[in-house]
Amino acid sequence: MGIRFVLMVNKQGQTRLAQYYEYLTLEERRALEGEIVRKCLARTEQQCSFVEHRNYKIVYRRYASLFFLVGVDNDENELAILEFIHLLVETMDRHFGNVCELDIMFHLEKAHFMLEEMVMNGCIVETSKSNILAPIQLMDKAS
Amino acid sequence: MGSQGGFGQSKEFLDLVKSIGEARSKAEEDRIVLHEIETLKRRITEPDIPKRKMKEYIIRLVYIEMLGHDASFGYIHAVKMTHDDSLLLKRTGYLAVTLFLNEDHDLIILIVNTIQKDLKSDNYLVVCAALNAVCKLINEETIPAVLPQVVDLLGHSKETVRKKAVMALHRFYQRSPSSVTHLVSNFRKRLCDNDPGVMGATLCPLFDLITIDVNSYKDLVISFVNILKQVAERRLPKSYDYHQMPAPFIQIKLLKILALLGSGDKQATENMYTVVGDIMRKCDTSSNIGNAVLYECICCVSSVHPNPKLLEAAADAISKFLKSDSHNLKYMGIDGLGRLIKISPEIAEQHQLAVIDCLEDPDDTLKRKTFELLYKMTKSSNVEVIVDRMIGYMISINDNHYKTEIASRCIELAEQFAPSNHWFIQTMNKVFEHAGDLVNIKVAHNLMRLIAEGFGEDDDTADSQLRSSAVESYLRIIGEPKLPSAFLQVICWVLGEYGTTDGKYSASYITGKLCDVAEAHSSDDIVKAYAVTALMKIYAFEIAAGRKVDVLSECQSLIEELSASHSTDLQQRAYELQAVISLDAHAVESIMPSDASCEDIEIDKNVSFLNNYVQQSLEKGAQPYIPENERSGIVNISNFRNEDQHETSTHALRFEAYDLPKPSVPSRIPPATLASSTELVPVPEPSYPREIHQAASVSSVSDTGPSELKLRLDGVQKKWGRPTYSSSAPSTSDSKSQRPVNVLTQPDGVGSINSKARDVSYDSRRPQVEVSPEKQKLAASLFGGTSKTEKRPSSTNHKVSKTSSHATDKSHVTEGVALSSEIAAKKTTPVQPPPDLLDLGEPAVTSSAPSVDPFKQLEGLLDPSQDTSVRNYSADGATKTPDIMSLYSDMYTSGLISNVPNPVSTDRDEFNLTSGLSDASDRITLGGNTDMHSTQISNKGSNPKESLDKDALVRQMGVTPSTQNPNLFRDLLS
């Protein structure tokens, strides 16, 4: 399975994007997001970018006001997930140009589309930025 | 920036997003969202909404759900949007649906059709959108609806479609492996796809497949190695590069696969050495991604057949990680070290300082990782310091999840490597004191068993020293407030069993302490039950030793209080205690032998001791026992039932009060059916249609008298009963059939029957305790891991030798074998429904009808219970066996129930039988545990999955640093 969920949360703890690769009910999502956000936001820059939470490992990375949190299985390569987050940010950067929290908020569906291209069934399937963005650009042109 | 508030977005939407963005608190955000829900509920149902507007509404719904509120009112509109012709709207619709619905949602059926249509679309982006949805929404049932199309798409001209089709197939495999087993070869084909994206995606399903079945994919080793080589040599398009690394994510996936394929396979591994070595050499260690690949190489090297050169390179990489300032790299280094020390334990030495640093680090993640490493390094030489640290950390954290985990690890290590009995008891005390409510109750039972059996040394003095030190430490601790229930249970049990053994403490001192416990924890019935039983043991030992028993006044009042308890279990115990005290020394000794918790009880499966009884009954005119499969006349019973049903259904509604249960049946029913009704009704037919009959059974209370009480209880327990015996039984008249029992039970020495009954019932309980998969696991963790244990295995041997010294006992191993052969035999006989605990009451009921031998029936009950329970055990660990306390109480309840429907039989007979049962159950705690040996022996070493699970569990841990301990590294690392 690998990746269980991808979350984007700002530093106030408000969810900006949530994608789960296993089904959780609304209540479970709420509780999980609350717990892990509290845990990750309390950590300092020097500490590990990995946090164990229940049976997940959470790999997180902060960009300005936005935290990217990825929940993974225990046997996942944490450093690779850390770089996967960066790849996602670079990809969004290429599309939006200097991406910020508001870009994601105003174009929530596009952020999701990019994630859909990169991750399927909890696995990283595409890492070429041009491949990720091609369908989104085509859709933009068509509409 | 620029794209903010781009075209097509209404002011309303922009305002909403802005207000959510500016919300300063969760409450404010909730207010905004709730208001939005109200607005949308109104708007979304308006007619003729422009499509763009609708898309915006759908996105607003996504926001509502994302922020934790229910948007189910709008799901249907998202479903509708998937029908749209516009690609953007369609994809948005699919996105919303995948975010809202799980695969079992009712609305999915509406989407399957759309997906089918879209999979055939000429526009490959539409196909991609549909395939995305397939990966999220198709469940096992709907796989066949789209499977052919997905398979076709594997050969699509667009690489992105092929990639997504591979992933859709992967998803089907995850959901239902059997539905796509014939298509697995497609993954192999796609591995050779021209497009690196398709190849990269195919690695995901292949990884899953190889994880499950390595051997079928050994032929691919060369292919994987070649691909990895090409990737590392930058043959892939530049667009896959990430921070100057060629396709690092594909490299990592390939290394993971190679690690699986090369594990324990020298031949396969030899193909990998060169490429892995090259990658390790070339890795750019200044970037995160370079280190990620390097780490994956370390994992691979430590998994495949060892190669000294590569191991050296891995050790170098690890030391670089550990020396780094980055906590992330240190973390990876500790993890890598944990993997590598399995192969070359000596490398830990050079990193002592780094490891200690990590252990002392305030970063919790790092600390836990280090504890995981220590756990892997634990030996009998360093167990004390490691467990000591672990307990210190355990006390310092609040997170119950980790507390539980670390407590169980402490217990595991202590059990494996304990250097001395004293240390072990002290350690367990600490763990129980601070995490007693978190650890599995089985651990407590295990501890009791360990104390009872001793540590396995042959000399008994060590064992009795262990017990004395346990008793002493418990007497010290017992007064402390807020002890966890599980710990108190252990304390009570040990004090009851061994409190007075060494003569150091008087019975009145121990009983006083036990009473204090019961009083201080008046809300905890389980602890009270343990305390009362412990009291009974102490008194019994006193009586057996010929000493006079002075029941303390506080004990007296406790017993009186409990004999009026709401808990039938406690009542039963209190009455039993009183009964035991009044017996003479000889009787007490035989029912409550001293230090007999490890003894096995011999079982007379043929109940030959009852032959006399049967003979006498037959002479007095009783019907001979007819084996179940030879019985006829079931038809008669069902006829009778129909009559009964018919009669009662005529007055389904009753307005007068129900009659009180009476011992005899009202005369409304003709005498012929009268007798049969009392005998048959308590045992419901297996095919009995409960729904239909419910009204009838309620209204027939007065007809069948007390037996109905039982029927309704059955309903509660969801039990269908077992096939009733022949209708020939009813033919004997009621009054006549009772007499022999009375005659028999009175003159007969109750004691002998009693103790035998105990044996039999003991047997019936035992398999249920035995099969608990959790217990097996515990036993496995206790006695498994022979490779690194010095002491544990001997305990098992010890047990066997101990039992074999018991002339009449079979060894556990053979017992296990005997049991399984019995199962095989059982399978040929007609299947009886699994008896539940209530069945134990039945033999007592039937004892009033001597035409059928009650004990034969009892025997009949026992076997299926073994049968089913053993089958449960072999099936899987999912079945949860009731814990021992619930067995107790259920048992007693059943004992009590048996009194109710059978008021005609002699009271004395009833009482003795029940108390016989309870006597046996007093010993269950131990009996159940000792029996784990047999299952454990057969289980040990043959369960790689379990050990994998355990390993996964093991990977989460941490530590608390206190002051620097100068002796630490010497202990840890020497």
Side-chain angles (χ1 to χ4, degrees), chain B residues 826-863:
Chain B
K826 270 295 138 193
K827 280 187 178 145
T828 56
T829 62
V831 184
Q832 288 188 325
D836 75 4
L837 293 164
L838 273 174
D839 278 343
L840 283 167
E842 278 175 30
V845 179
T846 50
S847 68
S848 67
S851 54
V852 187
D853 187 328
F855 289 95
K856 281 257 170 72
Q857 281 200 324
L858 190 69
E859 186 189 28
L861 277 173
L862 300 180
D863 288 337

mmCIF file of all heavy atoms in Angstrom, chain B residues 826-863:
data_model
loop_
_atom_site.group_PDB
_atom_site.id
_atom_site.type_symbol
_atom_site.label_atom_id
_atom_site.label_comp_id
_atom_site.label_asym_id
_atom_site.label_seq_id
_atom_site.Cartn_x
_atom_site.Cartn_y
_atom_site.Cartn_z
ATOM 1 N N LYS B 826 -13.737 -37.173 14.684
ATOM 2 C CA LYS B 826 -14.984 -36.461 14.929
ATOM 3 C C LYS B 826 -15.631 -35.985 13.648
ATOM 4 O O LYS B 826 -16.836 -35.889 13.530
ATOM 5 C CB LYS B 826 -14.726 -35.263 15.827
ATOM 6 C CG LYS B 826 -14.847 -35.589 17.295
ATOM 7 C CD LYS B 826 -16.258 -35.989 17.678
ATOM 8 C CE LYS B 826 -16.209 -37.166 18.613
ATOM 9 N NZ LYS B 826 -17.476 -37.811 18.804
ATOM 10 N N LYS B 827 -14.798 -35.663 12.705
ATOM 11 C CA LYS B 827 -15.349 -35.053 11.500
ATOM 12 C C LYS B 827 -16.277 -36.001 10.758
ATOM 13 O O LYS B 827 -17.117 -35.589 9.996
ATOM 14 C CB LYS B 827 -14.222 -34.590 10.582
ATOM 15 C CG LYS B 827 -13.678 -33.259 11.080
ATOM 16 C CD LYS B 827 -12.689 -32.655 10.157
ATOM 17 C CE LYS B 827 -12.232 -31.304 10.707
ATOM 18 N NZ LYS B 827 -10.865 -31.034 10.419
ATOM 19 N N THR B 828 -16.082 -37.274 10.976
ATOM 20 C CA THR B 828 -16.930 -38.218 10.271
ATOM 21 C C THR B 828 -18.294 -38.334 10.933
ATOM 22 O O THR B 828 -19.272 -38.676 10.299
ATOM 23 C CB THR B 828 -16.267 -39.603 10.234
ATOM 24 O OG1 THR B 828 -15.993 -39.984 11.577
ATOM 25 C CG2 THR B 828 -14.988 -39.570 9.429
ATOM 26 N N THR B 829 -18.354 -38.073 12.192
ATOM 27 C CA THR B 829 -19.628 -38.188 12.878
ATOM 28 C C THR B 829 -20.501 -36.995 12.558
ATOM 29 O O THR B 829 -20.008 -35.954 12.161
ATOM 30 C CB THR B 829 -19.420 -38.268 14.399
ATOM 31 O OG1 THR B 829 -18.798 -37.066 14.807
ATOM 32 C CG2 THR B 829 -18.562 -39.451 14.768
ATOM 33 N N PRO B 830 -21.807 -37.181 12.733
ATOM 34 C CA PRO B 830 -22.721 -36.086 12.411
ATOM 35 C C PRO B 830 -22.321 -34.816 13.142
ATOM 36 O O PRO B 830 -21.970 -34.850 14.323
ATOM 37 C CB PRO B 830 -24.077 -36.598 12.915
ATOM 38 C CG PRO B 830 -23.894 -37.974 13.375
ATOM 39 C CD PRO B 830 -22.480 -38.368 13.231
ATOM 40 N N VAL B 831 -22.396 -33.745 12.438
ATOM 41 C CA VAL B 831 -21.946 -32.486 13.022
ATOM 42 C C VAL B 831 -22.981 -31.980 14.016
ATOM 43 O O VAL B 831 -24.157 -31.864 13.700
ATOM 44 C CB VAL B 831 -21.751 -31.438 11.932
ATOM 45 C CG1 VAL B 831 -21.189 -30.176 12.538
ATOM 46 C CG2 VAL B 831 -20.839 -31.971 10.854
ATOM 47 N N GLN B 832 -22.507 -31.687 15.163
ATOM 48 C CA GLN B 832 -23.396 -31.072 16.129
ATOM 49 C C GLN B 832 -23.115 -29.594 16.154
ATOM 50 O O GLN B 832 -21.977 -29.184 15.988
ATOM 51 C CB GLN B 832 -23.117 -31.645 17.515
ATOM 52 C CG GLN B 832 -23.601 -33.066 17.643
ATOM 53 C CD GLN B 832 -23.479 -33.534 19.056
ATOM 54 O OE1 GLN B 832 -22.546 -33.159 19.741
ATOM 55 N NE2 GLN B 832 -24.413 -34.324 19.506
ATOM 56 N N PRO B 833 -24.122 -28.804 16.344
ATOM 57 C CA PRO B 833 -23.861 -27.377 16.438
ATOM 58 C C PRO B 833 -22.958 -27.115 17.626
ATOM 59 O O PRO B 833 -23.047 -27.818 18.630
ATOM 60 C CB PRO B 833 -25.242 -26.766 16.656
ATOM 61 C CG PRO B 833 -26.112 -27.877 17.100
ATOM 62 C CD PRO B 833 -25.528 -29.130 16.556
ATOM 63 N N PRO B 834 -22.080 -26.141 17.489
ATOM 64 C CA PRO B 834 -21.157 -25.867 18.583
ATOM 65 C C PRO B 834 -21.939 -25.534 19.837
ATOM 66 O O PRO B 834 -22.771 -24.624 19.809
ATOM 67 C CB PRO B 834 -20.355 -24.675 18.085
ATOM 68 C CG PRO B 834 -21.119 -24.139 16.932
ATOM 69 C CD PRO B 834 -21.949 -25.225 16.391
ATOM 70 N N PRO B 835 -21.705 -26.226 20.881
ATOM 71 C CA PRO B 835 -22.448 -25.943 22.103
ATOM 72 C C PRO B 835 -21.930 -24.668 22.726
ATOM 73 O O PRO B 835 -20.731 -24.427 22.718
ATOM 74 C CB PRO B 835 -22.120 -27.142 22.983
ATOM 75 C CG PRO B 835 -20.793 -27.599 22.505
ATOM 76 C CD PRO B 835 -20.684 -27.245 21.067
ATOM 77 N N ASP B 836 -22.806 -23.865 23.219
ATOM 78 C CA ASP B 836 -22.267 -22.737 23.951
ATOM 79 C C ASP B 836 -22.342 -23.069 25.415
ATOM 80 O O ASP B 836 -22.668 -24.185 25.808
ATOM 81 C CB ASP B 836 -22.967 -21.439 23.574
ATOM 82 C CG ASP B 836 -24.339 -21.337 24.180
ATOM 83 O OD1 ASP B 836 -24.700 -22.259 24.958
ATOM 84 O OD2 ASP B 836 -25.032 -20.387 23.892
ATOM 85 N N LEU B 837 -22.071 -22.080 26.212
ATOM 86 C CA LEU B 837 -21.889 -22.381 27.622
ATOM 87 C C LEU B 837 -23.167 -22.867 28.282
ATOM 88 O O LEU B 837 -23.131 -23.599 29.244
ATOM 89 C CB LEU B 837 -21.366 -21.140 28.325
ATOM 90 C CG LEU B 837 -19.966 -20.817 27.848
ATOM 91 C CD1 LEU B 837 -19.587 -19.428 28.217
ATOM 92 C CD2 LEU B 837 -19.007 -21.826 28.422
ATOM 93 N N LEU B 838 -24.292 -22.449 27.731
ATOM 94 C CA LEU B 838 -25.536 -22.868 28.337
ATOM 95 C C LEU B 838 -25.717 -24.372 28.291
ATOM 96 O O LEU B 838 -26.396 -24.955 29.116
ATOM 97 C CB LEU B 838 -26.701 -22.208 27.607
ATOM 98 C CG LEU B 838 -27.040 -20.830 28.149
ATOM 99 C CD1 LEU B 838 -28.077 -20.191 27.293
ATOM 100 C CD2 LEU B 838 -27.509 -20.949 29.576
ATOM 101 N N ASP B 839 -25.106 -24.974 27.321
ATOM 102 C CA ASP B 839 -25.260 -26.403 27.201
ATOM 103 C C ASP B 839 -24.795 -27.128 28.441
ATOM 104 O O ASP B 839 -25.256 -28.213 28.738
ATOM 105 C CB ASP B 839 -24.450 -26.923 26.003
ATOM 106 C CG ASP B 839 -25.234 -26.710 24.743
ATOM 107 O OD1 ASP B 839 -26.453 -26.485 24.875
ATOM 108 O OD2 ASP B 839 -24.642 -26.752 23.670
ATOM 109 N N LEU B 840 -23.906 -26.521 29.139
ATOM 110 C CA LEU B 840 -23.407 -27.178 30.325
ATOM 111 C C LEU B 840 -24.511 -27.364 31.335
ATOM 112 O O LEU B 840 -24.462 -28.229 32.183
ATOM 113 C CB LEU B 840 -22.273 -26.361 30.933
ATOM 114 C CG LEU B 840 -20.982 -26.547 30.163
ATOM 115 C CD1 LEU B 840 -19.989 -25.519 30.564
ATOM 116 C CD2 LEU B 840 -20.455 -27.937 30.413
ATOM 117 N N GLY B 841 -25.501 -26.509 31.245
ATOM 118 C CA GLY B 841 -26.621 -26.654 32.149
ATOM 119 C C GLY B 841 -27.486 -27.838 31.775
ATOM 120 O O GLY B 841 -28.164 -28.392 32.615
ATOM 121 N N GLU B 842 -27.463 -28.205 30.562
ATOM 122 C CA GLU B 842 -28.414 -29.195 30.093
ATOM 123 C C GLU B 842 -28.272 -30.574 30.710
ATOM 124 O O GLU B 842 -29.268 -31.190 31.024
ATOM 125 C CB GLU B 842 -28.355 -29.289 28.579
ATOM 126 C CG GLU B 842 -29.179 -28.185 27.967
ATOM 127 C CD GLU B 842 -29.054 -28.184 26.487
ATOM 128 O OE1 GLU B 842 -28.856 -29.269 25.930
ATOM 129 O OE2 GLU B 842 -29.141 -27.109 25.899
ATOM 130 N N PRO B 843 -27.045 -31.009 30.839
ATOM 131 C CA PRO B 843 -26.937 -32.332 31.436
ATOM 132 C C PRO B 843 -27.677 -32.410 32.751
ATOM 133 O O PRO B 843 -28.279 -33.423 33.060
ATOM 134 C CB PRO B 843 -25.444 -32.516 31.639
ATOM 135 C CG PRO B 843 -24.840 -31.634 30.625
ATOM 136 C CD PRO B 843 -25.760 -30.485 30.446
ATOM 137 N N ALA B 844 -27.660 -31.333 33.478
ATOM 138 C CA ALA B 844 -28.356 -31.323 34.742
ATOM 139 C C ALA B 844 -29.854 -31.460 34.506
ATOM 140 O O ALA B 844 -30.557 -32.143 35.228
ATOM 141 C CB ALA B 844 -28.065 -30.043 35.500
ATOM 142 N N VAL B 845 -30.326 -30.839 33.491
ATOM 143 C CA VAL B 845 -31.743 -30.915 33.175
ATOM 144 C C VAL B 845 -32.117 -32.354 32.844
ATOM 145 O O VAL B 845 -33.066 -32.906 33.352
ATOM 146 C CB VAL B 845 -32.074 -30.019 31.972
ATOM 147 C CG1 VAL B 845 -33.534 -30.130 31.637
ATOM 148 C CG2 VAL B 845 -31.700 -28.597 32.291
ATOM 149 N N THR B 846 -31.315 -32.907 31.984
ATOM 150 C CA THR B 846 -31.669 -34.223 31.502
ATOM 151 C C THR B 846 -31.506 -35.275 32.576
ATOM 152 O O THR B 846 -32.018 -36.369 32.448
ATOM 153 C CB THR B 846 -30.794 -34.600 30.310
ATOM 154 O OG1 THR B 846 -29.447 -34.359 30.671
ATOM 155 C CG2 THR B 846 -31.164 -33.786 29.101
ATOM 156 N N SER B 847 -30.802 -34.947 33.618
ATOM 157 C CA SER B 847 -30.604 -35.949 34.649
ATOM 158 C C SER B 847 -31.932 -36.352 35.264
ATOM 159 O O SER B 847 -32.013 -37.351 35.949
ATOM 160 C CB SER B 847 -29.657 -35.433 35.723
ATOM 161 O OG SER B 847 -30.286 -34.392 36.419
ATOM 162 N N SER B 848 -32.960 -35.584 35.036
ATOM 163 C CA SER B 848 -34.257 -35.962 35.562
ATOM 164 C C SER B 848 -34.923 -36.995 34.660
ATOM 165 O O SER B 848 -35.952 -37.528 34.982
ATOM 166 C CB SER B 848 -35.146 -34.729 35.681
ATOM 167 O OG SER B 848 -35.433 -34.253 34.397
ATOM 168 N N ALA B 849 -34.349 -37.227 33.527
ATOM 169 C CA ALA B 849 -34.918 -38.215 32.625
ATOM 170 C C ALA B 849 -33.922 -39.332 32.420
ATOM 171 O O ALA B 849 -33.115 -39.311 31.507
ATOM 172 C CB ALA B 849 -35.257 -37.582 31.279
ATOM 173 N N PRO B 850 -33.911 -40.267 33.265
ATOM 174 C CA PRO B 850 -32.872 -41.285 33.239
ATOM 175 C C PRO B 850 -32.965 -42.202 32.031
ATOM 176 O O PRO B 850 -32.083 -43.011 31.809
ATOM 177 C CB PRO B 850 -33.085 -42.075 34.527
ATOM 178 C CG PRO B 850 -34.489 -41.789 34.908
ATOM 179 C CD PRO B 850 -34.905 -40.505 34.299
ATOM 180 N N SER B 851 -34.027 -42.095 31.273
ATOM 181 C CA SER B 851 -34.112 -42.916 30.084
ATOM 182 C C SER B 851 -32.947 -42.610 29.147
ATOM 183 O O SER B 851 -32.539 -43.432 28.352
ATOM 184 C CB SER B 851 -35.431 -42.660 29.370
ATOM 185 O OG SER B 851 -35.542 -41.270 29.147
ATOM 186 N N VAL B 852 -32.439 -41.444 29.269
ATOM 187 C CA VAL B 852 -31.258 -41.116 28.485
ATOM 188 C C VAL B 852 -30.137 -40.852 29.465
ATOM 189 O O VAL B 852 -30.285 -40.059 30.384
ATOM 190 C CB VAL B 852 -31.506 -39.853 27.651
ATOM 191 C CG1 VAL B 852 -30.342 -39.623 26.727
ATOM 192 C CG2 VAL B 852 -32.797 -39.966 26.901
ATOM 193 N N ASP B 853 -29.055 -41.483 29.269
ATOM 194 C CA ASP B 853 -27.967 -41.330 30.224
ATOM 195 C C ASP B 853 -27.418 -39.918 30.193
ATOM 196 O O ASP B 853 -26.885 -39.472 29.174
ATOM 197 C CB ASP B 853 -26.859 -42.320 29.877
ATOM 198 C CG ASP B 853 -25.780 -42.318 30.925
ATOM 199 O OD1 ASP B 853 -25.535 -41.252 31.533
ATOM 200 O OD2 ASP B 853 -25.167 -43.368 31.124
ATOM 201 N N PRO B 854 -27.529 -39.232 31.272
ATOM 202 C CA PRO B 854 -27.105 -37.831 31.264
ATOM 203 C C PRO B 854 -25.622 -37.678 31.027
ATOM 204 O O PRO B 854 -25.177 -36.747 30.393
ATOM 205 C CB PRO B 854 -27.491 -37.343 32.648
ATOM 206 C CG PRO B 854 -27.605 -38.566 33.476
ATOM 207 C CD PRO B 854 -28.043 -39.657 32.565
ATOM 208 N N PHE B 855 -24.888 -38.592 31.519
ATOM 209 C CA PHE B 855 -23.445 -38.406 31.403
ATOM 210 C C PHE B 855 -22.935 -38.737 30.022
ATOM 211 O O PHE B 855 -21.977 -38.165 29.548
ATOM 212 C CB PHE B 855 -22.729 -39.217 32.482
ATOM 213 C CG PHE B 855 -22.940 -38.619 33.832
ATOM 214 C CD1 PHE B 855 -23.954 -39.070 34.661
ATOM 215 C CD2 PHE B 855 -22.174 -37.552 34.260
ATOM 216 C CE1 PHE B 855 -24.158 -38.491 35.887
ATOM 217 C CE2 PHE B 855 -22.386 -36.984 35.492
ATOM 218 C CZ PHE B 855 -23.382 -37.455 36.307
ATOM 219 N N LYS B 856 -23.645 -39.667 29.403
ATOM 220 C CA LYS B 856 -23.312 -39.914 28.012
ATOM 221 C C LYS B 856 -23.548 -38.658 27.193
ATOM 222 O O LYS B 856 -22.805 -38.314 26.296
ATOM 223 C CB LYS B 856 -24.155 -41.061 27.465
ATOM 224 C CG LYS B 856 -23.651 -42.432 27.866
ATOM 225 C CD LYS B 856 -22.922 -43.088 26.707
ATOM 226 C CE LYS B 856 -22.191 -44.346 27.124
ATOM 227 N NZ LYS B 856 -23.098 -45.465 27.408
ATOM 228 N N GLN B 857 -24.619 -38.003 27.555
ATOM 229 C CA GLN B 857 -24.912 -36.761 26.843
ATOM 230 C C GLN B 857 -23.845 -35.728 27.104
ATOM 231 O O GLN B 857 -23.422 -35.009 26.218
ATOM 232 C CB GLN B 857 -26.247 -36.211 27.318
ATOM 233 C CG GLN B 857 -27.406 -36.919 26.701
ATOM 234 C CD GLN B 857 -28.619 -36.063 26.793
ATOM 235 O OE1 GLN B 857 -28.787 -35.358 27.778
ATOM 236 N NE2 GLN B 857 -29.445 -36.102 25.781
ATOM 237 N N LEU B 858 -23.492 -35.673 28.324
ATOM 238 C CA LEU B 858 -22.451 -34.724 28.695
ATOM 239 C C LEU B 858 -21.218 -34.988 27.853
ATOM 240 O O LEU B 858 -20.607 -34.081 27.303
ATOM 241 C CB LEU B 858 -22.122 -34.912 30.177
ATOM 242 C CG LEU B 858 -21.223 -33.857 30.783
ATOM 243 C CD1 LEU B 858 -21.966 -32.547 30.855
ATOM 244 C CD2 LEU B 858 -20.751 -34.287 32.137
ATOM 245 N N GLU B 859 -20.934 -36.234 27.732
ATOM 246 C CA GLU B 859 -19.769 -36.605 26.936
ATOM 247 C C GLU B 859 -19.957 -36.156 25.497
ATOM 248 O O GLU B 859 -19.062 -35.643 24.868
ATOM 249 C CB GLU B 859 -19.605 -38.115 27.006
ATOM 250 C CG GLU B 859 -18.351 -38.600 26.352
ATOM 251 C CD GLU B 859 -18.345 -40.101 26.266
ATOM 252 O OE1 GLU B 859 -19.439 -40.693 26.197
ATOM 253 O OE2 GLU B 859 -17.273 -40.672 26.272
ATOM 254 N N GLY B 860 -21.173 -36.387 25.021
ATOM 255 C CA GLY B 860 -21.456 -35.971 23.652
ATOM 256 C C GLY B 860 -21.229 -34.488 23.480
ATOM 257 O O GLY B 860 -20.794 -34.013 22.440
ATOM 258 N N LEU B 861 -21.506 -33.778 24.529
ATOM 259 C CA LEU B 861 -21.317 -32.331 24.454
ATOM 260 C C LEU B 861 -19.852 -31.960 24.417
ATOM 261 O O LEU B 861 -19.463 -30.998 23.783
ATOM 262 C CB LEU B 861 -21.934 -31.676 25.684
ATOM 263 C CG LEU B 861 -23.429 -31.443 25.596
ATOM 264 C CD1 LEU B 861 -23.920 -30.964 26.934
ATOM 265 C CD2 LEU B 861 -23.716 -30.442 24.526
ATOM 266 N N LEU B 862 -19.108 -32.721 25.143
ATOM 267 C CA LEU B 862 -17.706 -32.336 25.272
ATOM 268 C C LEU B 862 -16.975 -32.428 23.962
ATOM 269 O O LEU B 862 -16.224 -31.559 23.599
ATOM 270 C CB LEU B 862 -17.022 -33.245 26.296
ATOM 271 C CG LEU B 862 -17.632 -33.181 27.682
ATOM 272 C CD1 LEU B 862 -16.888 -34.108 28.606
ATOM 273 C CD2 LEU B 862 -17.569 -31.763 28.191
ATOM 274 N N ASP B 863 -17.210 -33.499 23.266
ATOM 275 C CA ASP B 863 -16.415 -33.716 22.070
ATOM 276 C C ASP B 863 -16.598 -32.623 21.028
ATOM 277 O O ASP B 863 -15.624 -32.095 20.536
ATOM 278 C CB ASP B 863 -16.723 -35.097 21.488
ATOM 279 C CG ASP B 863 -16.128 -36.164 22.370
ATOM 280 O OD1 ASP B 863 -15.179 -35.824 23.089
ATOM 281 O OD2 ASP B 863 -16.600 -37.302 22.359
#
